[in-house]
Amino acid sequence: MIVKLHLKKEIHVPVDAESISPDVFAGKLVEEIAELPLWKGNRKVPLKDVFGVEGISGKVTNELVIHIDGNLSKVQRIGSGMTDGEIRIAGDVGMHLGVEMKGGKITVEGNVGSWLGSSMKGGTIEVNKDAGDYIGAPYRGSTEGMRGGTITIHGNAGTEAGRYMKKGLIRIDGDVDQFVGIHLKKGAILVRGNADGRAGAFMTGGKIIICGHLKSLLPTFTIDSMKSKAKVEEEIIKEPFYLFIGDLAEHGSGKLYLAKNKNKHLETHEKLLQ
Amino acid sequence: MTLVKNVTCPICGTLCDDLEVEVEENSIVDVRNACAIGEAKFLNFTDPKHRNLKPLVRKGGELTEVSLDEAVERSAQILAHAQYPILYGWSCTSCQAIRVGIELAEEVGGVIDNTSTVCHGPSILSIQSVGIPTCTLGQVRHRADLVVYWASDPYSAHPRHIERYTSFSDGRFQESEWEHYVTRLRGVLGKKRLSRASARISMREVSIPPIADPKLPPEFETEKRKLIVVDVRKTRSAEIADFFIQVEPNRDFELLQALRLLVKDEELEVDKVAGVPVDLLEEFADILISCNFGIFFFGVGLTMSSGKHRNIDAAIALTKDLNYRTKFAIMPMRGHFNVAGANIVSTWQTGYPFAVDFSHGYPRYNPGETSAVDILQRDESDASLIIASDPVSNFPRNAAQNLVKNPMITIDPVVSPTTMMADVVIPSAFVGIEVEGTAYRMDCVPLPMKKIVEPPKICLPDEEILRRILLQVRQIRQTGGKA
Amino acid sequence: MKELLIKNGFVYDPLNKIDGETMDIAVRDGKIVEEVKKGKTIDASGMVVMPGGVDIHSHIAGAKVNSGRLLRPEDHYKDVELKTVLTRSGVGYSIPSTFTTGYRYSRMGWTTVMEPAMPPLKAKHTHEELNDTPMVDKGAYPLLGSNWFVLEYLRAKMYGECAAFVAWMMNATKGYAIKLVNPGGLEAWGFGRNVRDIDDPVPNFDITPREIIQGLCKVNQILNLPHTIHVHINNLGKPGNYVTTLETMRCVENLATDNKPIMHLTHCQFSAFAGEDWRTFKSASEEIAEYVNSHSHVTLDMGQIVFTNTTTMTADGPFQFTLYQITGNKWVNNDVETETSSGIVPFQYKRKNYVHATQWTIGLELALQIKDPWKILLTTDHPNAGPFTAYPKVITWLMSRKARDDVMKKVNKKTRRKAPLSAIDREYSLYEIAIATRAGQAKALGLESKGHLGVGADADISVYNLDPKKTNLADNPEAITKAFKKAAYTIKDGEIVVRDGEVVNSVNGRTYWVKVETQANLFEIEPELKRAFEKYYTVKYENYLVPQNFSAHQTPVTAKARIKS
């Protein structure tokens, strides 16, 4: 069962599309879906004003695939709280994609805005290009970070990926901005590219693996040992790593793996191991 | 001639309330007790070159003089028809005006944001993530034996801060360090004179002596109030400090986190952090721990450098850690005279201090998303109302570009690049000189702003202008103009 | 002339000794009258009619409350109020925005609410917020228990001068009652210290909390203020603190005359802890109740715990620091020069936590073991023990043993085994509820036109859809909760403002403050005060005062002082 949405024309003011979710679509006819409410700026409009709708909807959430195309970079909150089913986005998409997602799958061909999968509890999100800031992170004031699920970014990511994460996995194939894994409690973050610094600030537990260069290591981490490999779920990365523990300013015991070959500036720490 | 006493100064967040203003025939002739910035404002605010004195509406590309009613009507039309308007500014007006502004934002389903979004917004985000141990400025005056200005130069930006509230003020438990400072300053000036003289004699440029002295001066052992400045360069304030610590630019976060470790009596594995030798940091940590009452004042140097609100997280966390050892507080050095008030009023009415989005009929808050600069950078807004602020000069270029390409209303006593680019200009009266109202000091103490002289007839108070627009918007709504 | 008749309701008006009689209540021009001829009629048959609810202690406005709002966006996200034609939008949950606070109180049938902790230096802030809190009448208590002027006058035993200063303070801050929070301890907190008990001298001031409490109690008597001194004890929230509570009550015993209360001990649940530490922690409700049952000079309020995520906020800086140390949650501390401190820590009360569950029992035990309902009033010390929106639940617990047992089944096992609550059968009647939530509160506050439905009273009335004749309330706790959650009608000053739990008319409400009348010139101390003022404060004397017309609807209540000229 596939429901296809396509953006009718370029939008100027932001569109809040919380109702685009397999959970909401399930059991509705295409005509009913077309009438679902969206916020366009401060106006409530039916979905059909913004999107063309076609296809066949299903009764059951997990059989439902929603395919969306057009420049969605100002469309927010798609797949919010979804529990099952699938959303495929053909191009770029805006902020808050899959917030508080509990299950199902979201794939994005293009770039995605900030707060991707905020406080998500389960399911998978895969982004082919870049992601914005605050991947999986809770909103201002909250410490309810990601509790489960997997987020994979094939491009680069912004700042504070995985803030307050408690469980789950974030994989970033490209580079990350500052503060990756800030306040990390548990769970794992794998960065295959470089990191801009301050990785693991305030972390108390969990694991961050950086296979590229880390611009600078916080002074509140202590070297623990050298490792010949790093492991995240089933995946094993076979190359030498420094293992640092921190953030000591928080009495933390988080693990920060930094690839030895890409981080010559950390060599001085090696003498502390002897 | 009348002398108005106890006048609150409408310039910066220090909000000195001891000014004395002499008035002759509705014009200010003299100001006492003010700093140079305050004095200049009181004496020059009427300068017609800089003053908006006509309601203007852009017609055929030109700003044309219109009646106030027409300007209000045009403003109401713009706002009532907008789908995502921004109402921005609010830090240089009274709380009474801000109250009406929020009601207007709610009515038009807009986003209301104040200038803290581009100065101490990060400090607020940080408070929301870790809290803040702080106090009113009188606590500092009476009790603080250690004052640290971090990435803040009060001498230039808040000229009377040190004299009124910190090192040079006289408190119940702490005496002023003014005399001590004068003696030392004489010494410094003498040295400078000598070096200038020697430069003339030897006929060559004498380089300025290195600024960061990596050792503590011996008088640190004494039981007096201490003033420490931490900054990326030696500011005017650093010159009068007992000690100056120079931090590498954009490395404050590392320095603060390292200090946190040290005040917990743990050790660092490196020799230098952010360009500061660890030995010196250890001594600094000792000073922090051993005071009876310490305070950090921090400025935009910390909120707007690399790391932004996470720098403040670290600074506040350090302050919290220090409270296990002694009494310590921390306070942002707020800029505009009522930026604290803008946050406060917004918080009691909506639950949130800035960047409040009413587009869904209730307050939503997510700086980064609902903050004016971010909305503009994503080009999502379709109209704006700017009050007592100059975003065209202060916002990042693409944000300013997107701001001016949509209908823009300005309410401002003064001419600015923003008012010149606007579609509607409504002249207003100066709060604290021509209109009374409430403002909040940087430590959130409310103070009354006085009306000292009558404004020009066409210049109404912001509150009144906003009320008129609100009324018009409601009328347009009732007649179904919104569709 | 605007008239209204509420017909055939079961009327509960304890101040006039009316216990559920079927009666009509007539209203004209905002007051209760004997009878009306025309005007609107509300058919209240099968419903309960009570005076509008009164809250003696609820943190709803001012610097500290607002810092709490700012601190906790996560408290607001999922509890929102939409703008309507009549009402402003806002957010909850534990620290609602001002408009929302007013609407939510009114929806439950409350018409008067007192903000119990106003730092005098920031009084304008409190009043600006109260001005934006619609639907209810309000007032605020200035914090005076660690004020330097007070400490200095009382150390010198200059009670008359201190009384004149406090009278000036009521006028300067537009305050309603004398508030003491951890007397003396907050001054010590200025240097990060505290006082240990009521005889531990305040550092640098050479005065004990006992002397402060007694002194301000005398001052209150001299000034004849409508409310008694309002006391948050030393050692609040510490195991074993019931001893301090008993000493605090005892220390003013001798000052009592003609069996009248002279002290209000607030959120008593937090002050009735036995044990040496958190491990041996247990309820001391029996000890407190025993004392209160045999004395008549104190009134209390409950500070009842609700199992929820809330925000603790008090002027008690050192106590809040302890909570921060225990929880590791975010923490705000804000000390105010010359006067007070304050602290805020978000807090989650959990059923399965022994301490929290026991705290839940303590509040109820106090209310159920203290025999005279006039002596213990219903509060949650909003938002400290829970938000005020939990009142319907608390009422239900008091009225229904079944409701209590249902909670007991789910709480910590050790609590269940040890708590005296398990053995208490008492259930409040609607008459007693009317005392605990209205009549007793108004009486303790000295608000003579509130809390009753006699001729001349303010027409603040609530009507609840509850029929005690048809339903056995104790066996049907859900019916109680449901009825009190959404008033069938709330009438404020004779206007119907809420119908079926929805706001139908937005009104402002007054802000009461006490204007002390005396033959003596209260401002005699002014020149002296002004001189000291310059030294003590960073603001000018003139700029400290809350002007007469500062916010709309300020209403003075006069007190006739007994100061000698």
Side-chain angles (χ1 to χ4, degrees):
Chain A
M1 307 290 174
I2 292 188
V3 177
K4 284 190 172 172
L5 306 180
H6 68 272
L7 194 66
K8 283 183 168 169
K9 55 175 192 201
E10 246 348 75
I11 40 182
H12 183 191
V13 300
V15 169
D16 189 299
E18 205 171 348
S19 46
I20 301 182
S21 153
D23 295 77
V24 180
F25 282 16
K28 289 193 176 66
L29 300 170
V30 165
E31 295 75 36
E32 291 170 318
I33 289 169
E35 296 298 331
L36 284 170
L38 297 181
W39 281 101
K40 190 178 170 196
N42 55 21
R43 310 292 150 98
K44 219 172 208 173
V45 298
L47 191 138
K48 65 179 182 198
D49 275 20
V50 183
F51 293 99
V53 191
E54 56 190 280
I56 306 155
S57 183
K59 279 215 174 81
V60 193
T61 312
N62 68 8
E63 291 171 358
L64 203 62
V65 177
I66 302 172
H67 183 279
I68 320 173
D69 59 29
N71 178 6
L72 306 178
S73 56
K74 288 184 179 181
V75 183
Q76 309 174 0
R77 239 172 276 277
I78 292 174
S80 168
M82 69 187 270
T83 59
D84 213 337
E86 193 181 338
I87 297 177
R88 293 178 199 152
I89 294 167
D92 294 350
V93 64
M95 293 178 278
H96 313 287
L97 178 68
V99 290
E100 291 183 26
M101 180 173 176
K102 293 170 189 77
K105 190 178 170 191
I106 299 178
T107 49
V108 182
E109 290 304 322
N111 301 306
V112 60
S114 298
W115 288 283
L116 170 70
S118 269
S119 303
M120 79 187 271
K121 297 202 167 92
T124 55
I125 300 178
E126 191 171 350
V127 176
N128 261 317
K129 291 185 182 163
D130 299 344
D133 300 333
Y134 314 115
I135 294 170
Y139 292 127
R140 309 291 178 193
S142 170
T143 56
E144 303 283 304
M146 193 165 155
R147 300 289 181 88
T150 307
I151 298 178
T152 307
I153 313 290
H154 295 304
N156 303 324
T159 62
E160 303 198 8
R163 175 167 177 254
Y164 278 115
M165 180 169 173
K166 255 190 170 168
K167 207 181 156 194
L169 171 64
I170 298 176
R171 263 197 214 100
I172 297 156
D173 291 347
D175 299 342
V176 286
D177 229 323
Q178 286 189 9
F179 292 110
V180 61
I182 179 174
H183 284 291
L184 190 71
K185 292 176 170 175
K186 247 182 170 175
I189 301 176
L190 170 63
V191 180
R192 290 190 217 272
N194 305 320
D196 193 35
R198 291 162 184 175
F202 307 111
M203 77 191 285
T204 51
K207 188 195 284 184
I208 303 171
I209 301 165
I210 296 171
C211 306
H213 176 74
L214 175 68
K215 203 164 160 191
S216 74
L217 175 73
L218 286 174
T220 49
F221 278 75
T222 179
I223 191 152
D224 178 85
S225 52
M226 303 293 301
K227 299 282 177 192
S228 58
K229 59 182 186 239
K231 210 180 136 203
V232 56
E233 298 207 333
E234 329 58 88
E235 190 175 340
I236 293 167
I237 301 136
K238 278 198 183 148
E239 61 167 290
F241 282 96
Y242 296 113
L243 171 58
F244 284 88
I245 303 291
D247 183 337
L248 302 181
E250 298 289 327
H251 298 294
S253 51
K255 290 177 180 161
L256 179 60
Y257 287 81
L258 301 171
K260 178 176 157 57
N261 299 334
K262 300 276 173 55
N263 289 289
K264 299 278 181 228
H265 60 299
L266 299 175
E267 263 172 16
T268 48
H269 289 266
E270 279 178 38
K271 65 176 184 280
L272 293 166
L273 288 173
Q274 287 145 18
Chain B
M1 196 174 71
T2 46
L3 183 68
V4 189
K5 288 186 170 180
N6 305 325
V7 173
T8 309
C9 177
I11 298 286
C12 77
T14 313
L15 223 58
C16 306
D17 71 331
D18 61 343
L19 273 55
E20 298 185 352
V21 181
E22 242 173 64
V23 183
E24 217 174 288
E25 287 172 4
N26 201 43
S27 121
I28 294 173
V29 293
D30 195 17
V31 186
R32 285 172 221 153
N33 295 344
C35 67
I37 314 172
E39 191 176 304
K41 168 116 181 195
F42 276 101
L43 295 178
N44 303 327
F45 76 97
T46 49
D47 187 346
K49 279 204 299 288
H50 306 301
R51 189 86 199 241
N52 281 320
L53 290 164
K54 285 179 262 179
L56 306 169
V57 166
R58 195 169 293 276
K59 289 179 179 173
E62 291 292 315
L63 279 171
T64 315
E65 183 174 355
V66 295
S67 68
L68 186 59
D69 284 346
E70 189 181 336
V72 166
E73 168 67 25
R74 180 82 194 99
S75 306
Q77 288 291 352
I78 291 172
L79 291 173
H81 291 95
Q83 294 195 2
Y84 203 52
I86 291 175
L87 293 84
Y88 178 81
W90 311 105
S91 306
C92 289
T93 187
S94 69
C95 293
Q96 286 75 3
I98 298 162
R99 283 180 71 220
V100 185
I102 296 169
E103 196 169 353
L104 178 62
E106 187 189 55
E107 183 66 44
V108 301
V111 173
I112 186 163
D113 197 4
N114 55 60
T115 60
S116 46
T117 206
V118 291
C119 59
H120 274 286
S123 312
I124 292 169
L125 297 183
S126 181
I127 293 170
Q128 292 174 336
S129 80
V130 290
I132 186 168
T134 185
C135 59
T136 66
L137 290 162
Q139 286 292 93
V140 182
R141 183 208 271 184
H142 290 303
R143 298 175 202 263
D145 54 348
L146 176 64
V147 176
V148 183
Y149 287 99
W150 195 303
S152 151
D153 182 13
Y155 199 93
S156 313
H158 300 79
R160 296 184 68 209
H161 196 266
I162 299 177
E163 142 206 349
R164 277 176 62 79
Y165 309 121
T166 72
S167 307
F168 300 162
S169 67
D170 226 343
R172 183 174 191 134
F173 307 108
Q174 284 297 327
E175 284 172 10
S176 169
E177 283 304 319
W178 178 252
E179 270 180 41
H180 171 84
Y181 158 70
V182 171
T183 324
R184 196 155 33 110
L185 194 68
R186 278 201 197 108
V188 172
L189 288 176
K191 242 189 243 168
K192 276 190 181 167
R193 265 199 303 274
L194 269 178
S195 73
R196 268 201 302 273
S198 79
R200 270 198 297 274
I201 292 163
S202 60
M203 296 297 285
R204 60 184 170 86
E205 285 289 312
V206 174
S207 59
I208 303 155
I211 41 176
D213 182 355
K215 272 204 195 95
L216 290 175
E219 68 263 27
F220 246 93
E221 303 304 315
T222 60
E223 289 268 309
K224 60 176 202 64
R225 262 184 197 217
K226 296 174 187 76
L227 175 63
I228 294 179
V229 169
V230 184
D231 214 323
V232 292
R233 63 180 186 283
K234 189 153 191 175
T235 58
R236 297 289 293 275
S237 307
E239 279 176 15
I240 61 164
D242 295 293
F243 193 60
F244 167 59
I245 293 174
Q246 189 167 21
V247 54
E248 280 174 15
N250 292 319
R251 302 277 287 162
D252 301 86
F253 184 84
E254 282 73 12
L255 194 65
L256 287 160
Q257 286 289 84
L259 278 170
R260 290 186 62 204
L261 215 59
L262 294 174
V263 303
K264 289 175 179 166
D265 293 333
E266 294 191 42
E267 282 180 11
L268 287 165
E269 291 182 3
V270 286
D271 310 326
K272 257 189 175 188
V273 178
V276 184
V278 166
D279 297 354
L280 182 66
L281 268 189
E282 282 170 354
E283 282 186 76
F284 187 24
D286 277 343
I287 296 167
L288 295 175
I289 293 165
S290 53
C291 72
N292 290 317
F293 184 115
I295 177 137
F296 292 122
F297 290 103
F298 63 94
V300 283
L302 202 55
T303 62
M304 287 294 155
S305 62
S306 167
K308 290 202 162 185
H309 55 291
R310 299 309 166 207
N311 296 337
I312 317 302
D313 280 8
I316 295 177
L318 171 61
T319 315
K320 286 164 80 174
D321 293 345
L322 281 163
N323 273 282
Y324 282 84
R325 310 292 297 264
T326 179
K327 180 82 180 181
F328 228 99
I330 181 166
M331 195 186 298
M333 296 286 280
R334 306 303 302 267
H336 297 299
F337 77 88
N338 199 23
V339 65
N343 295 141
I344 286 171
V345 180
S346 179
T347 305
W348 87 55
Q349 289 211 347
T350 72
Y352 307 117
F354 65 108
V356 181
D357 180 339
F358 284 106
S359 63
H360 294 189
Y362 62 90
R364 289 188 308 145
Y365 169 78
N366 191 26
E369 176 192 354
T370 60
S371 31
V373 174
D374 299 277
I375 291 169
L376 289 168
Q377 286 186 324
R378 293 190 304 267
D379 192 16
E380 290 176 341
S381 169
D382 60 350
S384 63
L385 179 148
I386 311 295
I387 181 162
S389 160
D390 185 16
V392 168
S393 316
N394 303 329
F395 277 8
R397 202 192 167 114
N398 65 336
Q401 277 167 347
N402 288 334
L403 178 71
V404 300
K405 77 180 192 199
N406 292 306
M408 175 163 72
I409 306 152
T410 58
I411 301 173
D412 211 315
V414 291
V415 179
S416 71
T418 305
T419 63
M420 289 190 284
M421 301 292 284
D423 297 276
V424 182
V425 180
I426 303 179
S428 63
F430 276 105
V431 173
I433 303 179
E434 299 169 334
V435 192
E436 60 178 17
T438 313
Y440 285 75
R441 202 164 69 181
M442 62 168 69
D443 56 350
C444 303
V445 170
L447 282 162
M449 309 302 292
K450 279 205 167 77
K451 175 175 179 169
I452 299 160
V453 293
E454 284 296 329
K457 257 216 165 86
I458 196 72
C459 300
L460 298 181
D462 295 327
E463 184 186 359
E464 168 78 26
I465 297 165
L466 291 161
R467 254 189 219 297
R468 288 190 185 194
I469 298 175
L470 177 61
L471 213 71
Q472 280 286 326
V473 168
R474 289 205 170 125
Q475 266 167 17
I476 296 167
R477 290 271 161 109
Q478 271 160 16
T479 53
K482 192 187 160 170
Chain C
M1 216 164 55
K2 206 159 181 190
E3 299 187 336
L4 178 70
L5 187 68
I6 303 159
K7 276 180 80 80
N8 284 327
F10 301 114
V11 176
Y12 293 86
D13 180 9
L15 277 163
N16 294 303
K17 304 207 162 44
I18 295 166
D19 183 5
E21 290 164 40
T22 306
M23 287 174 66
D24 298 348
I25 302 291
V27 173
R28 184 180 308 121
D29 294 335
K31 296 280 178 188
I32 311 264
V33 292
E34 289 285 358
E35 52 172 17
V36 286
K37 300 209 168 60
K38 45 189 193 306
K40 211 179 149 64
T41 304
I42 291 174
D43 179 10
S45 37
M47 297 190 195
V48 164
V49 178
M50 287 184 179
V54 179
D55 199 334
I56 199 168
H57 189 108
S58 172
H59 300 271
I60 55 165
K64 164 176 47 56
V65 177
N66 214 38
S67 302
R69 291 188 191 108
L70 181 140
L71 179 70
R72 301 204 64 193
E74 78 280 10
D75 179 72
H76 314 322
Y77 292 138
K78 297 202 168 158
D79 182 19
V80 300
E81 295 275 347
L82 285 154
K83 169 185 157 45
T84 71
V85 179
L86 282 175
T87 59
R88 299 285 302 274
S89 66
V91 295
Y93 159 75
S94 68
I95 340 141
S97 51
T98 53
F99 304 116
T100 300
T101 301
Y103 304 140
R104 288 187 177 178
Y105 260 113
S106 194
R107 284 179 193 151
M108 302 191 309
W110 259 249
T111 51
T112 304
V113 184
M114 292 291 176
E115 158 58 50
M118 171 165 72
L121 179 61
K122 296 182 176 180
K124 288 192 194 76
H125 184 169
T126 309
H127 286 289
E128 286 200 314
E129 286 195 19
L130 290 178
N131 197 29
D132 269 349
T133 308
M135 314 302 281
V136 289
D137 289 341
K138 296 136 295 204
Y141 314 155
L143 290 152
L144 297 173
S146 287
N147 180 293
W148 287 359
F149 291 98
V150 170
L151 300 190
E152 283 161 355
Y153 282 130
L154 294 180
R155 177 176 57 194
K157 309 216 181 306
M158 294 160 74
Y159 300 109
E161 286 83 350
C162 190
F165 172 76
V166 170
W168 170 83
M169 201 50 133
M170 291 297 157
N171 181 50
T173 64
K174 300 292 171 284
Y176 188 83
I178 298 174
K179 176 72 182 295
L180 295 87
V181 173
N182 185 358
L186 305 190
E187 163 50 36
W189 181 241
F191 282 117
R193 294 193 287 257
N194 199 356
V195 291
R196 282 189 308 274
D197 54 53
I198 73 165
D199 293 313
D200 186 18
V202 181
N204 302 316
F205 280 83
D206 190 28
I207 185 170
T208 61
R210 179 191 297 275
E211 290 164 325
I212 301 169
I213 298 162
Q214 289 172 336
L216 282 173
C217 191
K218 281 179 198 161
V219 163
N220 205 79
Q221 289 178 313
I222 294 172
L223 295 177
N224 212 6
L225 300 181
H227 186 30
T228 61
I229 54 168
H230 195 99
V231 183
H232 159 138
I233 65 153
N234 304 107
N235 284 329
L236 184 117
K238 281 187 198 157
N241 67 6
Y242 82 97
V243 178
T244 310
T245 308
L246 290 174
E247 279 176 357
T248 304
M249 292 191 284
R250 267 186 211 124
C251 87
V252 294
E253 245 178 66
N254 294 335
L255 299 174
T257 48
D258 29 284
N259 283 334
K260 267 169 61 184
I262 52 168
M263 173 189 273
H264 181 81
L265 213 144
T266 193
H267 39 70
C268 191
Q269 172 272 128
F270 290 110
S271 312
F273 296 176
E276 311 272 293
D277 50 30
W278 293 114
R279 208 173 38 80
T280 56
F281 168 85
K282 62 180 185 187
S283 168
S285 61
E286 283 164 339
E287 289 84 343
I288 301 290
E290 191 187 359
Y291 181 88
V292 174
N293 282 332
S294 57
H295 293 81
S296 54
H297 68 288
V298 282
T299 54
L300 318 174
D301 66 82
M302 292 167 72
Q304 175 60 36
I305 294 285
V306 185
F307 297 113
T308 188
N309 186 314
T310 192
T311 312
T312 65
M313 51 172 72
T314 72
D316 198 341
F319 163 65
Q320 297 291 152
F321 182 62
T322 310
L323 279 187
Y324 158 61
Q325 287 176 300
I326 293 171
T327 61
N329 290 345
K330 47 191 174 183
W331 168 55
V332 170
N333 181 76
N334 199 343
D335 296 347
V336 178
E337 66 208 56
T338 319
E339 297 176 345
T340 180
S341 66
S342 71
I344 306 165
V345 179
F347 204 90
Q348 171 91 43
Y349 292 107
K350 297 175 182 152
R351 284 193 188 84
K352 299 294 177 196
N353 178 302
Y354 167 67
V355 173
H356 303 172
T358 304
Q359 282 184 275
W360 178 79
T361 68
I362 293 173
L364 292 169
E365 284 160 17
L366 286 165
L368 296 164
Q369 291 178 115
I370 293 171
K371 289 173 189 144
D372 181 358
W374 296 93
K375 284 185 184 168
I376 180 146
L377 310 171
L378 188 152
T379 67
T380 57
D381 184 14
H382 164 81
N384 281 298
F388 65 84
T389 41
Y391 287 175
K393 247 191 224 174
V394 181
I395 291 172
T396 309
W397 291 331
L398 290 174
M399 291 186 71
S400 161
R401 164 138 201 174
K402 180 169 182 277
R404 298 198 293 268
D405 288 346
D406 285 346
V407 179
M408 265 304 209
K409 277 179 215 150
K410 288 183 256 174
V411 303
N412 178 284
K413 273 185 198 157
K414 189 171 152 198
T415 301
R416 219 182 304 162
R417 213 169 52 237
K418 290 182 124 181
L421 184 65
S422 313
I424 301 174
D425 286 325
R426 182 175 163 196
E427 286 168 338
Y428 270 49
S429 65
L430 279 170
Y431 187 76
E432 287 173 314
I433 289 295
I435 296 170
T437 57
R438 284 121 164 112
Q441 307 241 7
K443 192 179 171 201
L445 284 167
L447 283 169
E448 286 167 3
S449 61
K450 304 283 182 197
H452 70 103
L453 299 172
V455 170
D458 290 348
D460 294 353
I461 308 163
S462 24
V463 181
Y464 296 107
N465 204 341
L466 197 64
D467 188 340
K469 296 261 153 65
K470 278 193 189 148
T471 325
N472 180 333
L473 299 180
D475 293 341
N476 290 285
E478 306 80 18
I480 306 173
T481 313
K482 195 175 159 214
F484 280 96
K485 243 185 197 162
K486 287 186 168 193
Y489 294 92
T490 305
I491 292 142
K492 180 85 196 71
D493 294 309
E495 302 271 349
I496 298 173
V497 292
V498 165
R499 191 180 300 140
D500 297 326
E502 292 308 324
V503 175
V504 293
N505 186 1
S506 184
V507 295
N508 287 306
R510 311 171 188 83
T511 302
Y512 290 115
W513 63 280
V514 175
K515 188 175 184 177
V516 182
E517 278 185 356
T518 160
Q519 290 155 321
N521 176 12
L522 268 181
F523 302 99
E524 204 174 6
I525 53 162
E526 245 191 309
E528 188 191 324
L529 193 66
K530 276 181 178 167
R531 269 195 300 280
F533 209 93
E534 302 284 299
K535 277 205 267 172
Y536 285 4
Y537 287 101
T538 51
V539 303
K540 286 286 182 182
Y541 177 86
E542 180 195 330
N543 294 334
Y544 182 87
L545 310 173
V546 178
Q548 206 78 264
N549 55 352
F550 183 70
S551 65
H553 318 291
Q554 271 176 3
T555 310
V557 175
T558 45
K560 292 207 188 322
R562 288 174 287 176
I563 298 185
K564 282 188 246 74
S565 51

